[in-house]
Amino acid sequence: MLRELDHLPEGLLDLQANRLQDRLQGPTLIHLPGRREPALLVSVLMHGNETTGWEAVRALLRPYTTGEQALPRSLFLFISNVSAAAVGLRRLDGQPDYNRIWPGCEDGGSQEHAMMRQVTQIMRDRGCFASIDVHNNTGLNPHYACVNVIDNRFLHLATMFSRTVVYFIRPCGVQSMAMAEICPSVTLECGKPGHTHGVEHARDFLDACLHLAEHPVHPVAGQDIDLFHTVAVVKVPEALSFGFGDPGMDIDFADDLEYLNFRELPRGTRLARIRGGNGLSLSVQDERGRDVAERFFVVQEDELRLRVPVMPSMLSKDKRVVRQDCLCYLMERYDDHLKDALAIPGT
Ligand SMILES: [Zn+2]
């Protein structure tokens, strides 16, 4: 199902994300030659409603389309879930989540799984300088980059985008984790879709990546990075209804929940009212898939509260996203990388 092109189709950069399906007819990998090899891989629209990546690519490539200026480095552009983008959805019903089907998970039977294996194999065969997968989220979050391994080259790449960096190893099957075996790779989270600031920030970052000659290998200075580690994912069980400031639901989350993203919350913080008898009814799993609900939450007098200090990310009031993905992730500060930084001062 993957289409491969060695040029940018005429007029492609004039199209908004919802028109790409018409023109491309499906997921498309476009190779554009530049002055340096190997190529930078940029993935956009892995989630069809997250348009900032495509908007950033439009802005990034426009100056290079006149033919006067060569790309500083070759580029592989992977324009991913264009059929979901055509209708403004993360994914279509019946489609898998395009950022959960990359090599590394156990299940892998669908044609979409095969496509991601194919893209990975192309990158392995051709070589890849770095991999950038551009996303948005639906809640109020700062811009940040995610890495899936603690490696100085990856952390440098991430801090070129933001001093806020999130390290995670679950969920599996994400693009940046599969590509981490081949080259430094990051996932960018550019805030909500449709914001000019997010587009400009992503474009500037991608342009800096195209101009980067090599990856620094020395440690990132401690003062230049806030590194967080995702320790659990929180989901609402299928069987329960939920809302935000809606007392008729089984779980009534605080109306201003998304303002808690990336805030270090104290023990006892109230997050929801749970209808009597439902108890601690959230699904909370750690990186190994173990149920850790009781480590993080407690229900007292029908109120859901934090049992320990923690920092949430990706909290969203978009019910469809909560059902399709999760309510939020829980994070802790991660300082282990600083030991290396301290061991080699001044490098
Ligand atoms: Zn996404």
Side-chain angles (χ1 to χ4, degrees), residues 47 50 90 135-136 189:
H47 297 135
E50 300 175 8
R90 180 184 176 90
H135 287 253
N136 293 105
E189 293 289 352

Side-chain angles (χ1 to χ4, degrees), residues 46-47 49-50 90 99 134-137 187 189 314:
M46 207 77 78
H47 297 135
N49 59 338
E50 300 175 8
R90 180 184 176 90
N99 203 27
V134 191
H135 287 253
N136 293 105
N137 42 62
T187 303
E189 293 289 352
M314 305 276 262

